Amino acid sequence: MKLIVFVIFVLACALFAQPGAYPDFETLKNDLEEIVKSNPTLIQMESQGTTLGGREILMLKFGAGEQDKKPAILLVGGVSGSDLAGTDIIMQFIKSGVTNYGKNDIITSMI
């Protein structure tokens, strides 16, 4: 049941993404830094190195409670510079998760 709700949640994030309004790398990084700063108990951000183009490869850990005892998923976006939708969907997922954590029982239990 949780998986079905999660899939619906991700698809809803995709539907509400604003097409044509894709941010650049610096804007994304600044947005992520603000989200992490505002939610330090839910999200941690680490640099995993740099790309050949000199941009940081960022990894976010998103969860609460005993994370080692919960199942994990891997969401990857921004792998291809010409495929911007994946990054936007993940950003919407993060923003929605942070906004609804503690307000929506299903999302809270998943995080």
Side-chain angles (χ1 to χ4, degrees):
M1 178 64 175
K2 285 185 182 180
L3 180 60
I4 293 170
V5 171
F6 175 73
V7 170
I8 292 169
F9 177 67
V10 171
L11 290 174
C13 290
L15 290 174
F16 292 108
Q18 297 178 7
Y22 297 116
D24 62 10
F25 178 78
E26 288 305 317
T27 302
L28 282 171
K29 185 177 175 186
N30 290 338
D31 288 351
L32 288 172
E33 287 171 346
E34 275 300 311
I35 292 169
V36 171
K37 185 178 175 181
S38 300
N39 303 278
T41 59
L42 288 179
I43 302 178
Q44 296 83 43
M45 184 166 62
E46 301 173 12
S47 177
Q48 299 297 301
T50 56
T51 66
L52 292 175
R55 293 183 176 163
E56 267 187 292
I57 301 169
L58 302 172
M59 178 184 73
L60 274 71
K61 293 182 182 179
F62 188 11
E66 298 181 52
Q67 295 179 30
D68 294 340
K69 295 183 179 183
K70 295 181 179 181
I73 61 167
L74 174 66
L75 302 174
V76 180
V79 176
S80 171
S82 62
D83 184 14
L84 303 174
T87 302
D88 196 50
I89 291 168
I90 292 172
M91 286 297 291
Q92 295 299 325
F93 171 79
I94 292 167
K95 290 175 183 178
S96 185
V98 167
T99 301
N100 292 298
Y101 181 78
K103 298 175 186 172
N104 181 300
D105 291 339
I106 295 171
I107 292 174
T108 302
S109 69
M110 289 187 328
I111 295 175

